[in-house]
Amino acid sequence: MTRQFAEILRGLMENRRLTPRAVSRASGRAESTMHQLLSGKVLPSVEIVQDISTVLEMSAADLRVIAGLPDEPPRDHPAPYRAANEIGQLVAVASWLTPEQVADLVEVARSYRSEGTD
């Protein structure tokens, strides 16, 4: 199942134009973990699937089924960041933008951050 999940994950990421680095940064998972998942060297866990599902804009339950995991959320997993879904959506949308548009988006995000610290 590990190889099959790796192939499906690779396809999901390619369809969304997401790199392992982008998924890593948006999910809080190490980039090495993403590479190991994509190569089939590591089994997906319920916690990993939970963390990367928002970046892939999928329900965690659907991704658990694809991974062959029990269809139940992790018990002791910390609550996701309060805007995890929105951050995942932002990463997914940004993956379709031109480099210039991404630079503009980063500047807008920085301006929001500086507004919040006044």
Side-chain angles (χ1 to χ4, degrees):
M1 185 59 151
T2 305
R3 279 274 185 231
Q4 186 178 12
F5 179 75
E7 291 174 17
I8 293 170
L9 178 59
R10 189 175 302 106
L12 290 168
M13 289 172 57
E14 286 173 4
N15 287 342
R16 291 159 176 78
R17 296 184 179 181
L18 295 170
T19 64
R21 177 174 281 179
V23 175
S24 167
R25 287 183 176 179
S27 69
R29 288 287 169 172
E31 189 173 346
S32 62
T33 299
M34 294 308 306
H35 285 290
Q36 290 173 339
L37 283 171
L38 291 167
S39 69
K41 291 181 181 176
V42 69
L43 291 170
S45 68
V46 174
E47 292 80 13
I48 290 172
V49 166
Q50 182 77 28
D51 291 342
I52 66 174
S53 65
T54 56
V55 183
L56 296 172
E57 294 185 289
M58 295 182 67
S59 76
D62 287 346
L63 199 54
R64 283 193 302 272
V65 169
I66 292 169
L69 296 168
D71 189 23
E72 58 187 55
R75 292 186 182 154
D76 297 331
H77 193 62
Y81 178 71
R82 68 179 187 276
N85 288 331
E86 292 79 7
I87 290 171
Q89 291 172 7
L90 184 59
V91 169
V93 169
S95 69
W96 291 90
L97 300 177
T98 66
E100 295 80 18
Q101 291 170 320
V102 171
D104 290 345
L105 183 59
V106 168
E107 288 305 312
V108 169
R110 284 188 178 133
S111 73
Y112 286 143
R113 184 172 67 184
S114 67
E115 287 175 14
T117 60
D118 291 343

